[in-house]
Amino acid sequence: MTIRCDFLMLLAYLLLSIAAASQTTANLETSDTKLQLEAGTNAPRLIALQSGDWRNRATESPIPTVEIDGRSIQLDWTFNPVASHVDKKLVSFVYDTVSPRLRLTWEWEVRSEHGPIEHQIRIENRDSTELWLPLEPSFVFDWQEALQDQLQHFYVEKGADTPSAIGTHLLAVSEGYEWEGASSSYAQPRPGEAREIIPYFLVERANGSQSGWYVGVEFSGRTHLTLTRKGVSLRGKVGLNPNPGPFRTRLKPGEVFETPRIFLGATDGGPDATANVLRRWVREVLTNPDTWKNPNYPLLVNNSWGGGMAVNEEIARHMIRDSADLGFEMFHLDAGWFRGVGDWYPDARKFPHGLRPLADEAHARGLKFGLWVDWAQAALNTAPGALNVRDPEVRGWLTSDLPPDWKPEEFKGQTIDIGVPQAKAWAMRETNRIVDDYNLDMLEHDGYLVAKGCDASDHPHAPPDPLNQCTYRDAGFEFVSSTNSTDVNYHAARAYYDIQSNLRQKHPGLLLEICNDGGRMVDFGSAAHGDYFSITDTYDPLSNRRAFYDASFVLPTAMLETYVERWPTARTGNFRYMLRSGMMGWLSVMIDTTSWNAEQHSAAKEELELYKKELRPLIRDANLYHISERPDGLHWDGMEYFDPNARRGVVYAFRGSVENEADHKFVLHGLSPRSRYQLQFQDHSAPEQIVEGSELMKGGINFHLPSPNSSEIVSLRELPAPTD
Ligand SMILES: [Zn+2]
């Protein structure tokens, strides 16, 4: 007996020694980012970013316990070199536990030659029993940072509802700095509370070099990012939001839990330089390549909401004809077309011939046809095919049970939890049917779509804690908050991705708009599962420019949709200013254009033509420079695109409402100092001129606009160097 025991101990010792000896290091790099990784015996870690510029002291902490039948079981993770994998594009270090049998894969992946490197942790239940996992963060860091280093922290808010007065934050990270940014599938800004961020931040050294790093989350569910500076430690976490906790998630035999994928990149040169790398990376790695194959992406859209819920066949036909005449490329039928919430069939009183003839008319006039649907909403309609909250099956999918006197709003009902497999299957069928039946080129989803709270105990997510639960109403929807909220959102967001992917697979070329009541689900996960975002729900020129200013620091500008709504335009100059405030990314006009007078019609035609010829190619491909402070509506603000390959660019100049500020100078970026540039002022506010790059980047361009709330657009062309 003693002998056998000694033998086992010896065997264990030998195995441990092998594991220790097989401790592995690996490197991954892109042209911008270098990582050193290490597989320790019991945990992996990121050793350093940029060859030690940023040295990490934190070891990744694989979950220490799981819960089985209400008992907490300690886990003993051991590196498995045989199952691990290292090559130039992918490093995955595998750790196993024997009892219960679990496998954790810690993976870093290079998917582009440029930009950041992605990371994810997967935990697989290889046992035969169901178990519950605590929270595994996506990424934990603890950089060793010299006390005297001056650091800056940069992040941007979602434009949800209305962009705040700040939006873009650049803060000094001094001793004691503590920050948390959160994101979810439906941002709910409240006065006095921190707003949701687009889940990303950048930290840079303020002293000269601006060397830094950034991290972002490719997930639409509840996530958070933290940053703390204390002594020589700059640490934080990125991943699922642990609050309101404790987080737990069920893992059945054979199932895999995946932490939200993150990306980590190194940078220097500040927020704009970082953004010019990041936007390109998002386009290349996350977005749908088929979408970009259409040279008319981003499209010019006329949206029916200018006429509101009153829309009917006659109005829509009128709008389609006017859209084609003006030069739009898609007609977007907004809310008001359906029989009722959850009953996504055309209202026969308004559309006696259905929607297909409208799609046909749009197509015949060279327009695409898009449709608004709030497909995760159930209500009270009882027609076959309607999602009815009183139907026993549908009732089982709801995020909360409803009182007997509950009534939907005009276009808002009760959210179903698409994390429930039957609900997801219904949504998949229904979205497919809608696209097929109505011959759609674009499907918009709106409202509170991806559940971020649920009071059901029989859904795949964790049950709520009845002692720690609240239900509240906001923006016309019922919300539930409890300890299970992050897990609810985890399941629903993944189901949402499957539904969107299924649509793309079944309908190649179909465009998917992410609206969610304007700017509430703007993140890198939705960027991978949709083609453009509505970035705010407030559509005046200032709000549109503010939302664009913020979001354009992280996402491809072609994806950033601003709706332009009716706004006081006493003069044509004000009218152009209104349109142009939505013309820096994706433009959707939400004004009944048939109400425009002849002068406005002709101005709008010119603007759309300008967009197609000059602006769109730059919005797709050029670098972007934020050449002013964030817009305040009072003073001047501007934006510059420059494409060094095409050797051309554009400057948007907006004059605010203040009187006696007719002149302004914008200093440009991204030009060659010794090249000469031809400047053409679209509205002829100044004569055509040729200026040296160095002058434009030091002295700048002078603008003179005599009236408040007006604008100018200047085309830049780099002239060929004179031959000698
Ligand atoms: Zn649920």
Side-chain angles (χ1 to χ4, degrees), residues 236-256:
K237 283 182 185 175
V238 179
L240 288 177
N241 193 336
N243 296 312
F247 172 89
R248 57 205 281 269
T249 192
R250 184 200 319 262
L251 204 60
K252 289 184 180 161
E255 282 186 343
V256 179

PDB file of all heavy atoms in Angstrom, residues 236-256:
ATOM      1  N   GLY A 236      -6.720  46.658 -14.801  1.00  0.00           N
ATOM      2  CA  GLY A 236      -8.135  46.681 -15.133  1.00  0.00           C
ATOM      3  C   GLY A 236      -8.606  45.348 -15.679  1.00  0.00           C
ATOM      4  O   GLY A 236      -7.840  44.389 -15.783  1.00  0.00           O
ATOM      5  N   LYS A 237      -9.890  45.337 -15.982  1.00  0.00           N
ATOM      6  CA  LYS A 237     -10.533  44.135 -16.508  1.00  0.00           C
ATOM      7  C   LYS A 237     -11.400  44.511 -17.692  1.00  0.00           C
ATOM      8  O   LYS A 237     -11.940  45.618 -17.755  1.00  0.00           O
ATOM      9  CB  LYS A 237     -11.458  43.519 -15.448  1.00  0.00           C
ATOM     10  CG  LYS A 237     -10.744  42.762 -14.371  1.00  0.00           C
ATOM     11  CD  LYS A 237     -11.739  42.152 -13.405  1.00  0.00           C
ATOM     12  CE  LYS A 237     -10.944  41.495 -12.277  1.00  0.00           C
ATOM     13  NZ  LYS A 237     -11.782  40.969 -11.226  1.00  0.00           N
ATOM     14  N   VAL A 238     -11.580  43.532 -18.565  1.00  0.00           N
ATOM     15  CA  VAL A 238     -12.443  43.716 -19.722  1.00  0.00           C
ATOM     16  C   VAL A 238     -13.251  42.440 -19.891  1.00  0.00           C
ATOM     17  O   VAL A 238     -12.688  41.345 -19.829  1.00  0.00           O
ATOM     18  CB  VAL A 238     -11.594  43.951 -20.999  1.00  0.00           C
ATOM     19  CG1 VAL A 238     -12.495  44.124 -22.211  1.00  0.00           C
ATOM     20  CG2 VAL A 238     -10.682  45.151 -20.842  1.00  0.00           C
ATOM     21  N   GLY A 239     -14.550  42.578 -20.086  1.00  0.00           N
ATOM     22  CA  GLY A 239     -15.340  41.366 -20.332  1.00  0.00           C
ATOM     23  C   GLY A 239     -16.778  41.544 -19.887  1.00  0.00           C
ATOM     24  O   GLY A 239     -17.274  42.672 -19.792  1.00  0.00           O
ATOM     25  N   LEU A 240     -17.440  40.437 -19.619  1.00  0.00           N
ATOM     26  CA  LEU A 240     -18.823  40.498 -19.168  1.00  0.00           C
ATOM     27  C   LEU A 240     -18.910  41.319 -17.892  1.00  0.00           C
ATOM     28  O   LEU A 240     -18.024  41.255 -17.036  1.00  0.00           O
ATOM     29  CB  LEU A 240     -19.367  39.093 -18.918  1.00  0.00           C
ATOM     30  CG  LEU A 240     -19.648  38.236 -20.161  1.00  0.00           C
ATOM     31  CD1 LEU A 240     -20.114  36.846 -19.752  1.00  0.00           C
ATOM     32  CD2 LEU A 240     -20.676  38.896 -21.081  1.00  0.00           C
ATOM     33  N   ASN A 241     -19.998  42.056 -17.766  1.00  0.00           N
ATOM     34  CA  ASN A 241     -20.188  42.906 -16.594  1.00  0.00           C
ATOM     35  C   ASN A 241     -20.599  42.045 -15.391  1.00  0.00           C
ATOM     36  O   ASN A 241     -21.620  41.361 -15.448  1.00  0.00           O
ATOM     37  CB  ASN A 241     -21.278  43.932 -16.901  1.00  0.00           C
ATOM     38  CG  ASN A 241     -21.326  45.046 -15.888  1.00  0.00           C
ATOM     39  OD1 ASN A 241     -20.892  44.874 -14.748  1.00  0.00           O
ATOM     40  ND2 ASN A 241     -21.851  46.181 -16.298  1.00  0.00           N
ATOM     41  N   PRO A 242     -19.824  42.049 -14.309  1.00  0.00           N
ATOM     42  CA  PRO A 242     -20.170  41.199 -13.167  1.00  0.00           C
ATOM     43  C   PRO A 242     -21.363  41.719 -12.368  1.00  0.00           C
ATOM     44  O   PRO A 242     -21.901  40.986 -11.521  1.00  0.00           O
ATOM     45  CB  PRO A 242     -18.898  41.226 -12.309  1.00  0.00           C
ATOM     46  CG  PRO A 242     -18.213  42.486 -12.680  1.00  0.00           C
ATOM     47  CD  PRO A 242     -18.593  42.802 -14.100  1.00  0.00           C
ATOM     48  N   ASN A 243     -21.792  42.943 -12.637  1.00  0.00           N
ATOM     49  CA  ASN A 243     -22.886  43.532 -11.859  1.00  0.00           C
ATOM     50  C   ASN A 243     -24.167  43.628 -12.678  1.00  0.00           C
ATOM     51  O   ASN A 243     -24.105  43.884 -13.874  1.00  0.00           O
ATOM     52  CB  ASN A 243     -22.490  44.932 -11.388  1.00  0.00           C
ATOM     53  CG  ASN A 243     -21.321  44.847 -10.441  1.00  0.00           C
ATOM     54  OD1 ASN A 243     -21.302  44.053  -9.512  1.00  0.00           O
ATOM     55  ND2 ASN A 243     -20.299  45.649 -10.724  1.00  0.00           N
ATOM     56  N   PRO A 244     -25.347  43.481 -12.089  1.00  0.00           N
ATOM     57  CA  PRO A 244     -25.542  43.114 -10.686  1.00  0.00           C
ATOM     58  C   PRO A 244     -25.270  41.618 -10.510  1.00  0.00           C
ATOM     59  O   PRO A 244     -25.826  40.818 -11.239  1.00  0.00           O
ATOM     60  CB  PRO A 244     -27.026  43.430 -10.434  1.00  0.00           C
ATOM     61  CG  PRO A 244     -27.663  43.389 -11.792  1.00  0.00           C
ATOM     62  CD  PRO A 244     -26.603  43.712 -12.796  1.00  0.00           C
ATOM     63  N   GLY A 245     -24.413  41.270  -9.590  1.00  0.00           N
ATOM     64  CA  GLY A 245     -23.965  39.886  -9.439  1.00  0.00           C
ATOM     65  C   GLY A 245     -24.597  39.207  -8.247  1.00  0.00           C
ATOM     66  O   GLY A 245     -25.495  39.769  -7.632  1.00  0.00           O
ATOM     67  N   PRO A 246     -24.146  38.040  -7.894  1.00  0.00           N
ATOM     68  CA  PRO A 246     -23.053  37.310  -8.545  1.00  0.00           C
ATOM     69  C   PRO A 246     -23.486  36.681  -9.865  1.00  0.00           C
ATOM     70  O   PRO A 246     -24.557  36.104  -9.956  1.00  0.00           O
ATOM     71  CB  PRO A 246     -22.706  36.224  -7.526  1.00  0.00           C
ATOM     72  CG  PRO A 246     -23.974  36.013  -6.757  1.00  0.00           C
ATOM     73  CD  PRO A 246     -24.686  37.327  -6.725  1.00  0.00           C
ATOM     74  N   PHE A 247     -22.596  36.829 -10.854  1.00  0.00           N
ATOM     75  CA  PHE A 247     -22.845  36.227 -12.158  1.00  0.00           C
ATOM     76  C   PHE A 247     -22.670  34.717 -12.076  1.00  0.00           C
ATOM     77  O   PHE A 247     -21.757  34.216 -11.440  1.00  0.00           O
ATOM     78  CB  PHE A 247     -21.855  36.790 -13.182  1.00  0.00           C
ATOM     79  CG  PHE A 247     -21.890  36.088 -14.527  1.00  0.00           C
ATOM     80  CD1 PHE A 247     -22.753  36.522 -15.526  1.00  0.00           C
ATOM     81  CD2 PHE A 247     -21.058  34.996 -14.792  1.00  0.00           C
ATOM     82  CE1 PHE A 247     -22.788  35.881 -16.760  1.00  0.00           C
ATOM     83  CE2 PHE A 247     -21.093  34.358 -16.025  1.00  0.00           C
ATOM     84  CZ  PHE A 247     -21.957  34.801 -17.010  1.00  0.00           C
ATOM     85  N   ARG A 248     -23.556  34.004 -12.717  1.00  0.00           N
ATOM     86  CA  ARG A 248     -23.345  32.564 -12.930  1.00  0.00           C
ATOM     87  C   ARG A 248     -24.021  32.179 -14.226  1.00  0.00           C
ATOM     88  O   ARG A 248     -25.019  32.774 -14.631  1.00  0.00           O
ATOM     89  CB  ARG A 248     -23.880  31.738 -11.752  1.00  0.00           C
ATOM     90  CG  ARG A 248     -25.332  31.951 -11.442  1.00  0.00           C
ATOM     91  CD  ARG A 248     -25.648  31.635  -9.982  1.00  0.00           C
ATOM     92  NE  ARG A 248     -25.776  30.211  -9.721  1.00  0.00           N
ATOM     93  CZ  ARG A 248     -26.927  29.529  -9.781  1.00  0.00           C
ATOM     94  NH1 ARG A 248     -28.052  30.138 -10.119  1.00  0.00           N
ATOM     95  NH2 ARG A 248     -26.956  28.259  -9.499  1.00  0.00           N
ATOM     96  N   THR A 249     -23.436  31.193 -14.875  1.00  0.00           N
ATOM     97  CA  THR A 249     -24.030  30.731 -16.129  1.00  0.00           C
ATOM     98  C   THR A 249     -23.977  29.215 -16.176  1.00  0.00           C
ATOM     99  O   THR A 249     -23.028  28.600 -15.705  1.00  0.00           O
ATOM    100  CB  THR A 249     -23.334  31.374 -17.352  1.00  0.00           C
ATOM    101  OG1 THR A 249     -24.111  31.124 -18.531  1.00  0.00           O
ATOM    102  CG2 THR A 249     -21.928  30.847 -17.573  1.00  0.00           C
ATOM    103  N   ARG A 250     -25.050  28.654 -16.725  1.00  0.00           N
ATOM    104  CA  ARG A 250     -25.191  27.196 -16.772  1.00  0.00           C
ATOM    105  C   ARG A 250     -24.379  26.625 -17.930  1.00  0.00           C
ATOM    106  O   ARG A 250     -24.327  27.214 -19.008  1.00  0.00           O
ATOM    107  CB  ARG A 250     -26.671  26.892 -17.001  1.00  0.00           C
ATOM    108  CG  ARG A 250     -27.056  25.431 -16.977  1.00  0.00           C
ATOM    109  CD  ARG A 250     -28.395  25.205 -17.679  1.00  0.00           C
ATOM    110  NE  ARG A 250     -29.375  26.227 -17.386  1.00  0.00           N
ATOM    111  CZ  ARG A 250     -30.348  26.114 -16.470  1.00  0.00           C
ATOM    112  NH1 ARG A 250     -30.475  25.015 -15.768  1.00  0.00           N
ATOM    113  NH2 ARG A 250     -31.200  27.102 -16.276  1.00  0.00           N
ATOM    114  N   LEU A 251     -23.741  25.504 -17.691  1.00  0.00           N
ATOM    115  CA  LEU A 251     -23.016  24.840 -18.768  1.00  0.00           C
ATOM    116  C   LEU A 251     -23.369  23.362 -18.741  1.00  0.00           C
ATOM    117  O   LEU A 251     -22.946  22.606 -17.865  1.00  0.00           O
ATOM    118  CB  LEU A 251     -21.505  25.045 -18.581  1.00  0.00           C
ATOM    119  CG  LEU A 251     -20.650  24.941 -19.841  1.00  0.00           C
ATOM    120  CD1 LEU A 251     -21.046  25.972 -20.884  1.00  0.00           C
ATOM    121  CD2 LEU A 251     -19.170  25.091 -19.503  1.00  0.00           C
ATOM    122  N   LYS A 252     -24.154  22.977 -19.739  1.00  0.00           N
ATOM    123  CA  LYS A 252     -24.557  21.569 -19.821  1.00  0.00           C
ATOM    124  C   LYS A 252     -23.411  20.744 -20.400  1.00  0.00           C
ATOM    125  O   LYS A 252     -22.495  21.297 -21.023  1.00  0.00           O
ATOM    126  CB  LYS A 252     -25.790  21.454 -20.725  1.00  0.00           C
ATOM    127  CG  LYS A 252     -27.039  22.019 -20.090  1.00  0.00           C
ATOM    128  CD  LYS A 252     -28.238  21.792 -20.993  1.00  0.00           C
ATOM    129  CE  LYS A 252     -29.482  22.358 -20.334  1.00  0.00           C
ATOM    130  NZ  LYS A 252     -30.548  22.582 -21.308  1.00  0.00           N
ATOM    131  N   PRO A 253     -23.485  19.432 -20.232  1.00  0.00           N
ATOM    132  CA  PRO A 253     -22.430  18.588 -20.819  1.00  0.00           C
ATOM    133  C   PRO A 253     -22.287  18.879 -22.310  1.00  0.00           C
ATOM    134  O   PRO A 253     -23.291  18.991 -23.018  1.00  0.00           O
ATOM    135  CB  PRO A 253     -22.946  17.159 -20.582  1.00  0.00           C
ATOM    136  CG  PRO A 253     -23.825  17.268 -19.384  1.00  0.00           C
ATOM    137  CD  PRO A 253     -24.465  18.622 -19.462  1.00  0.00           C
ATOM    138  N   GLY A 254     -21.065  19.037 -22.752  1.00  0.00           N
ATOM    139  CA  GLY A 254     -20.796  19.303 -24.167  1.00  0.00           C
ATOM    140  C   GLY A 254     -20.865  20.766 -24.555  1.00  0.00           C
ATOM    141  O   GLY A 254     -20.406  21.151 -25.625  1.00  0.00           O
ATOM    142  N   GLU A 255     -21.429  21.616 -23.683  1.00  0.00           N
ATOM    143  CA  GLU A 255     -21.551  23.038 -24.032  1.00  0.00           C
ATOM    144  C   GLU A 255     -20.235  23.785 -23.800  1.00  0.00           C
ATOM    145  O   GLU A 255     -19.405  23.366 -22.998  1.00  0.00           O
ATOM    146  CB  GLU A 255     -22.664  23.696 -23.205  1.00  0.00           C
ATOM    147  CG  GLU A 255     -24.056  23.385 -23.726  1.00  0.00           C
ATOM    148  CD  GLU A 255     -25.149  24.146 -22.992  1.00  0.00           C
ATOM    149  OE1 GLU A 255     -24.895  24.666 -21.872  1.00  0.00           O
ATOM    150  OE2 GLU A 255     -26.259  24.210 -23.523  1.00  0.00           O
ATOM    151  N   VAL A 256     -20.126  24.922 -24.495  1.00  0.00           N
ATOM    152  CA  VAL A 256     -18.927  25.748 -24.374  1.00  0.00           C
ATOM    153  C   VAL A 256     -19.341  27.164 -23.980  1.00  0.00           C
ATOM    154  O   VAL A 256     -20.227  27.750 -24.598  1.00  0.00           O
ATOM    155  CB  VAL A 256     -18.151  25.804 -25.710  1.00  0.00           C
ATOM    156  CG1 VAL A 256     -16.920  26.685 -25.583  1.00  0.00           C
ATOM    157  CG2 VAL A 256     -17.759  24.404 -26.163  1.00  0.00           C
TER     158      VAL A 256
END
